Amino acid sequence: MTTYGLLVFDEVEELDFVGPWEVFRASALVRAAGDTAVLIAERPDPVRCAKGLRVLPDRTLDDHPPLDVLVVPGGRGARLVQTRNPVVTDWIARTGATWVVGVCTGAFLLHAAGMLEGRRVATHWRHEQELEDRGGVTLVRDARYVVDGTLLTSQGVSAGIDSALWLVGRLHGRDHSREVRRTIQYDPAPPYTADEPLP
C-alpha cells in the first residue's frame, strides 16, 4: 500500500496538485492494492487556490497517516507566503516521507524547509534564477523534472503530471505507469506550440 500526501494552502496552483492527484488515484484504481491519496493543510478550513478553485482538505498537518510520498505544489502561496510560515516549513522538514516531490515553485517551499541543500532541482522557468539566488541548489534548466535521490522536482503545471507518472513507474513498474497514462488518456498534443519562453 502506498500513501500519497499532497499539501494544499491558500493560493496554491490548482494543477500542481490536481494533476499528480489524478495520477495517484488512477494508479490506486489500477493497482487495487489499497493505495490512498490525501489532501493535507495546516487547518481543516477550505483552501482557496490560485485561480479560485476551493478545496476541502482531508487531513491537517497534525492528523494524517504516515506518508510514503509528499507532494509540495507551487503557486504564489508557496513562493511568497508559506515560505515564511514555520508551522508548514517545519512540518515539511520532519514529515519523513520516503519520496518528496516539488512541483513548480513548490521548490521554494522545499528550500525554506531545508530540503534542497546541495541538490539538483527543477522549477518554473520564470523563477529559476530567483531560486538559484537563494543559494545551496543547482538549477537544472530545460528539464521537465529532475530526480536527485528520493527528491523529485518538476517545472510547472503539466510537468507535475509527468513527474507523477515517472514516480508511479519507479514505485510500481514501468508497465504500471503506462497503464495509468492510458487510463487517464494523458497524451499531450498542444494545438499551438511555443517552445521559446517569453522575454
Side-chain angles (χ1 to χ4, degrees), residues 132-171:
E132 190 169 53
D133 289 346
R134 295 190 181 201
V137 299
T138 300
L139 259 293
V140 180
R141 291 166 166 82
D142 299 322
R144 298 277 290 164
Y145 57 89
V146 173
V147 181
D148 186 333
T150 56
L151 173 71
L152 171 60
T153 54
S154 68
Q155 295 177 334
V157 187
S158 64
I161 297 172
D162 292 352
S163 64
L165 283 165
W166 179 87
L167 182 58
V168 297
R170 178 70 168 80
L171 294 173

Side-chain angles (χ1 to χ4, degrees), residues 6 15-25 71 103 160-161 163-164:
L6 298 95
L15 198 57
D16 283 3
F17 71 91
V18 174
W21 171 275
E22 177 73 19
V23 170
F24 300 149
R25 290 303 301 143
V71 176
V103 179
I161 297 172
S163 64

Side-chain angles (χ1 to χ4, degrees), residues 37-97:
V38 293
L39 294 181
I40 302 171
E42 184 177 358
R43 293 175 296 279
D45 310 311
V47 168
R48 175 76 68 180
C49 303
K51 306 292 192 305
L53 178 71
R54 290 179 56 183
V55 296
L56 190 63
D58 300 302
R59 300 294 186 95
T60 65
L61 303 183
D62 298 319
D63 173 33
H64 62 82
L67 304 177
D68 299 298
V69 175
L70 169 63
V71 176
V72 178
R76 185 180 184 281
R79 190 169 57 86
L80 299 177
V81 180
Q82 297 303 322
T83 51
R84 299 183 181 97
N85 183 351
V87 174
V88 170
T89 57
D90 291 351
W91 175 80
I92 291 170
R94 62 180 163 76
T95 298

Side-chain angles (χ1 to χ4, degrees), residues 83-118:
T83 51
R84 299 183 181 97
N85 183 351
V87 174
V88 170
T89 57
D90 291 351
W91 175 80
I92 291 170
R94 62 180 163 76
T95 298
T98 303
W99 282 90
V100 175
V101 180
V103 179
C104 192
T105 55
F108 284 78
L109 197 40
L110 292 176
H111 187 280
M115 307 282 291
L116 300 188
E117 186 66 34

